Amino acid sequence: MNYCNLCGAQVVQRIPPDDDRLRYVCDSCDEIHYQNPKIVAGCIPVWEDKVLLCKRAIEPRYGYWTLPAGFMELGETSHAAALRETMEEANARVEIINLFAVFNLPHVNQVYLMFNSNLMDLDFSPGAESQEVALFTQDEIPWEQLSFPTIRYSLEFFFEDRKDSHYRLHTGDIMRGNSGREFLTGPKTRY
Amino acid sequence: MNYCNLCGAQVVQRIPPDDDRLRYVCDSCDEIHYQNPKIVAGCIPVWEDKVLLCKRAIEPRYGYWTLPAGFMELGETSHAAALRETMEEANARVEIINLFAVFNLPHVNQVYLMFNSNLMDLDFSPGAESQEVALFTQDEIPWEQLSFPTIRYSLEFFFEDRKDSHYRLHTGDIMRGNSGREFLTGPKTRY
């Protein structure tokens, strides 16, 4: 950030009074420009013993398979965001069941909120951000071509829970190690 | 938003290609300035049969009682944010147990993540944003002087769950009616 988006003056980085971290501050209009993590909302669309995945037509991870998910917008709820992303990426209608996973990704300033959902019908097709949309059984899932760790963990937890058809809430922190490899840690829930 | 925080040129509101909503766009450097909801992370600090509340020394809701909670910062996890806010507002150390409530507040573009927690000791005191910090039994809670609906619902759900000592995940959308009154709706979880 270089300029104040309110008055257009240059911003400086400084720790404001009663604060303990560097903020972008405007000395012209005194605005403090806070920056905060973003929420990514998505779902696992289920049809019988299959889940719907989208092959990405955009970077990052172009050509890799993902669950419908994207940045939550102003004025919407997290489940509305998951519904919208599923329509945008797969032209698919789902019924949201419940919150399934909450992942913190502090290295990219994101929190994932993933929902269980049921696909309402088989009328789906690639949206603007997808090359291909398809249903996969657990064995058919392209485990080596998944887009992000959040997607792999979501699918692993889903199939794990499906064994005893008890769908828990899963929480965790996805951290990036020195090797660049990402792994799941942090407090697990009791559910 | 009036100016591009990257190049300082004036921004315009426009629907970008492959998008379906108005964004602040910079025609000088082509940056699209997306805006997204913020996460408020907090906890219910428990000591024996009491919970810790803070009397607000800041607006909004100056002088009303609240649970420790605040905006999640870049580079932290949601439970780290809850720990930090509890230290900032009450100089109190808690052990985070699990995620307890997820509330969408679309009218203020916030998502609350509230955690169950245990107070580690009785060494607490008002932080910069609090006038007073105290422990309350269920009967002592100043129900009419609580700061926000999210705090009231969190406390109601907590004491409800405590009856059978089964702490569920609670989710809901807090909407503002025409009267200005806020109410809880939206999909509940199955837990």
Side-chain angles (χ1 to χ4, degrees):
Chain A
M1 189 183 304
N2 305 309
Y3 299 93
C4 174
N5 58 26
L6 295 182
C7 77
Q10 286 203 2
V11 291
V12 294
Q13 273 197 307
R14 181 188 306 130
I15 300 175
D18 301 327
D19 201 341
D20 63 357
R21 61 193 74 200
L22 282 171
R23 311 286 184 185
Y24 289 103
V25 178
C26 177
D27 288 329
S28 171
C29 73
D30 293 331
E31 182 73 11
I32 301 171
H33 297 281
Y34 296 98
Q35 296 175 296
N36 304 91
K38 291 184 193 307
I39 295 168
V40 176
C43 70
I44 305 183
V46 174
W47 181 269
E48 293 167 355
D49 65 337
K50 300 184 176 68
V51 302
L52 180 134
L53 298 178
C54 307
K55 192 174 192 179
R56 290 174 64 86
I58 52 170
E59 294 294 350
R61 306 293 281 166
Y62 180 99
Y64 286 80
W65 290 90
T66 192
L67 289 163
F71 288 114
M72 188 175 167
E73 297 278 6
L74 297 182
E76 70 184 354
T77 62
S78 48
H79 45 90
L83 283 173
R84 177 182 49 73
E85 289 290 338
T86 308
M87 177 54 75
E88 287 177 8
E89 297 180 10
N91 295 302
R93 283 144 301 282
V94 290
E95 163 201 36
I96 297 292
I97 300 168
N98 62 6
L99 187 62
F100 171 77
V102 179
F103 298 124
N104 294 289
L105 284 76
H107 60 290
V108 289
N109 299 308
Q110 294 175 1
V111 175
Y112 267 67
L113 299 178
M114 298 298 290
F115 294 85
N116 286 307
S117 74
N118 291 323
L119 202 55
M120 310 281 278
D121 54 57
L122 292 176
D123 173 20
F124 55 77
S125 60
E129 299 178 359
S130 307
Q131 295 173 47
E132 202 181 328
V133 178
L135 291 169
F136 296 85
T137 63
Q138 182 170 8
D139 297 340
E140 294 165 344
I141 299 243
W143 292 103
E144 301 311 310
Q145 282 83 46
L146 294 178
S147 58
F148 304 110
T150 48
I151 304 305
R152 191 180 81 249
Y153 286 118
S154 295
L155 290 167
E156 284 175 1
F157 289 139
F158 170 77
F159 288 116
E160 194 179 299
D161 287 359
R162 196 178 63 172
K163 284 192 209 130
D164 56 8
S165 53
H166 173 40
Y167 295 92
R168 298 161 185 82
L169 175 76
H170 299 268
T171 66
D173 306 334
I174 293 175
M175 313 299 271
R176 183 168 286 159
N178 297 335
S179 66
R181 197 180 131 280
E182 291 174 300
F183 59 96
L184 186 71
T185 178
K188 304 293 177 295
T189 73
R190 284 173 163 179
Y191 306 101
Chain B
M1 190 183 305
N2 305 309
Y3 299 93
C4 174
N5 59 25
L6 296 181
C7 77
Q10 286 204 2
V11 291
V12 295
Q13 274 197 308
R14 181 188 304 130
I15 300 176
D18 301 326
D19 202 341
D20 63 357
R21 62 193 72 202
L22 282 171
R23 311 285 183 185
Y24 289 103
V25 177
C26 178
D27 288 329
S28 170
C29 74
D30 294 331
E31 182 73 11
I32 301 171
H33 297 280
Y34 295 99
Q35 296 175 296
N36 304 90
K38 293 186 195 305
I39 295 168
V40 176
C43 69
I44 304 183
V46 174
W47 181 268
E48 292 167 356
D49 66 335
K50 301 184 175 69
V51 302
L52 179 136
L53 298 178
C54 307
K55 191 174 192 179
R56 290 172 64 86
I58 54 170
E59 294 295 348
R61 306 293 282 165
Y62 180 98
Y64 287 79
W65 291 90
T66 193
L67 289 162
F71 289 115
M72 189 175 166
E73 296 279 5
L74 296 183
E76 70 183 356
T77 62
S78 47
H79 46 90
L83 283 173
R84 177 183 49 74
E85 289 291 337
T86 307
M87 177 54 75
E88 287 177 7
E89 297 181 9
N91 294 304
R93 283 144 301 282
V94 290
E95 163 201 37
I96 297 292
I97 301 167
N98 63 7
L99 187 61
F100 170 77
V102 179
F103 297 125
N104 294 289
L105 285 75
H107 60 291
V108 290
N109 299 308
Q110 295 175 1
V111 175
Y112 267 67
L113 300 178
M114 298 297 290
F115 294 85
N116 284 307
S117 73
N118 290 322
L119 202 54
M120 310 280 279
D121 54 56
L122 292 176
D123 173 21
F124 55 77
S125 61
E129 300 178 357
S130 307
Q131 296 174 48
E132 203 180 327
V133 178
L135 291 169
F136 296 86
T137 64
Q138 181 170 9
D139 297 339
E140 295 166 344
I141 299 243
W143 292 103
E144 301 311 311
Q145 281 83 45
L146 294 177
S147 58
F148 304 110
T150 48
I151 304 305
R152 192 180 81 249
Y153 286 118
S154 295
L155 290 168
E156 284 175 1
F157 289 139
F158 169 77
F159 288 116
E160 194 179 298
D161 288 0
R162 195 179 63 173
K163 284 193 210 128
D164 56 9
S165 53
H166 173 40
Y167 296 92
R168 298 160 186 81
L169 176 76
H170 299 268
T171 66
D173 306 334
I174 294 176
M175 314 298 271
R176 182 169 288 160
N178 298 335
S179 65
R181 197 181 130 279
E182 291 173 300
F183 58 97
L184 187 71
T185 178
K188 305 292 177 293
T189 73
R190 283 174 163 178
Y191 306 101

